[in-house]
Amino acid sequence: MTAQVVSSQNVFDSLSDIVGSENVLTDELSRSLYAQDVFTKSKPALAVVSPDNTEELCAVLKVAQQHELIIVPRGGGMSYTSGYVPAKDDSLMIDLGRMNRVLEINKQDMFVTVECGCTWKSLHEALKGTGLRTPYWGTLSGSKASIGGGLSQNSIFWGSGQYGTAVDSVIGLEVALADGSLVKTGSGAQKNASPFFRHYGPDLTGIFTCDTGALGFKATATFRLIPEFAAKGYLAFDFKTAEQTIAAMSEIAREGLAMECFGFDPFLQSQRLKRESLAKDVKALAGVMKSSGSILGALKDGAKVALAGRGYMKDVDYSVQIIVEDRIEAGVNARINDIRAIASKFEGREIENSIPKITRSNPFGPVNNMLGPEGERWVPSHGLFPHSKAKEAFAAIEAVFDEHRELINKYNIGTGHLFALVSTNCFVLEPVFFWPDAYTEIHEMSVEADHLAKLTKFDENLDARQAVHKIRTALGELYKNLGAVHLQVGKTYQYKQGLEPNSYKVIEAIKAAVDPQGRLNPQSLGLE
């Protein structure tokens, strides 16, 4: 038996003493599965350890420090920028999935505290019946995506149109540092206070968000609560050009009218049409009817969605889907009227509102869309822009696609666009790629088995995958040159290259303070 094997066994024994041997995974499948994301499969982990609570997490990190191990945090595994994919051999993956409890719902002080392995769906369900919600309340992959991952990578969707990103709603954290020490942020760091307020001195909460796991392990998070909005409305429009789509969405954002507003280009729309029919989606239809406020409303909504099916989308070019919320119906109607006026200004044609209605009534469905409608691999890219640059950025992205048209045609790569809004000041452009290629273990473990069985299982196509990587890299360079920013920076986007040198020196100084040995998720944020 070699010294390395003996040493590893000593580590595994020490970890097993803390979390139980069943929560220290050393089999080949686990070491591969937990170390890959939606796009990248590279180095397997040394092992995967799953602590059950903050105390166990800190104890695990102390063992890792004693053995000078590289450590990498992992949440729900739904990201695609190598944020938690190990950059170095023999990295210890720390899976926070067992730390999934909602610890406190404080209705008087209006905050909720959760363990960071909790999914957005679980938090949403825990708050049902309280009349309360977090301002931002999850991403579309929230049935799998964890809160810790959402705060490390940042994320958007539910509530983003009016309340911004995931990190805009968090008011305090408990963070385990690389050496196993625990740091509290926000008012919770005051010895005699509860975690009810974010800003008390320098914003330590902000330092540990959007770090893609480079600065610490998020153990618990506290979010502020707001009352749920009783009244909701739904709209959808067809625009003929991307320019009209972007202009209309930007004006809707600036007026603060929509809780969620997102759009599809013709290609991405055609991909939706290839998926199962909405008219036959009994679960979705049941969700729409259940979410209606009355029996009569349920029957009307259900009948409208069922009759519409997806046929109406066949003549649509660029669609924009909108959800509005307000305290009362009159407020919703006022928002709807203002949105209709904006859409008309840019020649938008109102169409059936089935997509926003079904999406809202089934907010955290299965993550089957992480593969294409025929089983193709899927990966997005994205840039966040001010409204003034959105049209220019869209044209520049299209120019990158044109520049690589030969590769796109050679490997049958489909490209499309998703548009979205974040509060009043941010436009999201998300180019997406579909291509025939073998899926990996993470797809097999995440996509529903009956859905996966219906899809084509393509042969591995490393050349096509490399072509997608090349185009995404070109987009990353473009984003940097246009001054775009990103949600999940990971190890993919050009964060270090695009940041002002003095600003990056501060990031390096923080890294040196919280992880002086550089053992925590090396290369994330460009940090060694």
Side-chain angles (χ1 to χ4, degrees), residues 34-56:
Y34 284 85
Q36 59 188 262
D37 71 6
V38 173
F39 183 63
T40 304
K41 177 181 176 181
S42 184
K43 300 176 183 296
L46 171 68
V48 182
V49 58
S50 301
D52 183 59
N53 52 53
T54 300
E55 292 73 22
E56 288 189 2

Side-chain angles (χ1 to χ4, degrees), residues 237-240 244 248 341-350:
F237 296 94
D238 168 30
F239 294 91
K240 293 303 175 188
Q244 290 172 324
I342 291 171
S344 177
K345 177 179 174 181
F346 296 101
E347 301 181 17
R349 174 177 66 93
E350 190 164 355

